[in-house]
Amino acid sequence: MSIDHRLAETMLDKVVLAGVTYLDVDGNALEHQQFAGRILRINDEEGVVLTSLIDGEEFFLPPHLDHYKVAEPGDYTLRSVDLTVTDPDYLCTWDVRLAQSNDDSDAT
């Protein structure tokens, strides 16, 4: 996958709100997480790298830039982390599907 570097340049220093749902192999939701961060850099190796608005730590999101939608103005509350962000730049959601284990340790 090749990143659109022109678009990536316009996204730098913008605020992203992201929702991530972790699914088991059958598609059942295991966990939901919410993130808010400012885009530090975008590249092929790391994807979209943000610094958390909550704790300053870096976190990484996929580099599929067409998946980042421009947010409507307003207040957005991330309930899982008790944070309200006013007028973020982008919103995105991701489903992470866990792979079936290749662990045969229970087999006899």
Side-chain angles (χ1 to χ4, degrees):
M1 153 172 229
S2 179
I3 290 177
D4 178 343
H5 293 286
R6 252 195 218 138
L7 177 57
E9 185 73 25
T10 68
M11 294 175 70
L12 294 177
D13 205 36
K14 303 294 185 190
V15 173
V16 175
L17 302 184
V20 179
T21 301
Y22 295 91
L23 305 168
D24 66 16
V25 294
D26 296 319
N28 300 308
L30 299 172
E31 181 181 4
H32 301 283
Q33 291 185 346
Q34 296 176 308
F35 302 94
R38 187 170 301 278
I39 298 175
L40 294 175
R41 60 189 177 275
I42 301 172
N43 59 59
D44 292 317
E45 295 78 33
E46 299 173 295
V48 178
V49 183
L50 301 101
T51 182
S52 172
L53 298 181
I54 300 160
D55 60 14
E57 294 290 317
E58 287 186 3
F59 64 96
F60 304 83
L61 293 174
H64 305 283
L65 302 186
D66 59 338
H67 199 70
Y68 295 77
K69 304 301 180 194
V70 174
E72 293 291 325
D75 290 334
Y76 292 77
T77 301
L78 283 66
R79 289 177 293 228
S80 65
V81 292
D82 195 28
L83 174 71
T84 298
V85 178
T86 301
D87 300 334
D89 299 291
Y90 295 99
L91 305 174
C92 61
T93 59
W94 303 95
D95 289 338
V96 177
R97 297 181 191 283
L98 301 179
Q100 184 145 4
S101 173
N102 292 327
D103 182 9
D104 292 331
S105 61
D106 291 334
T108 56

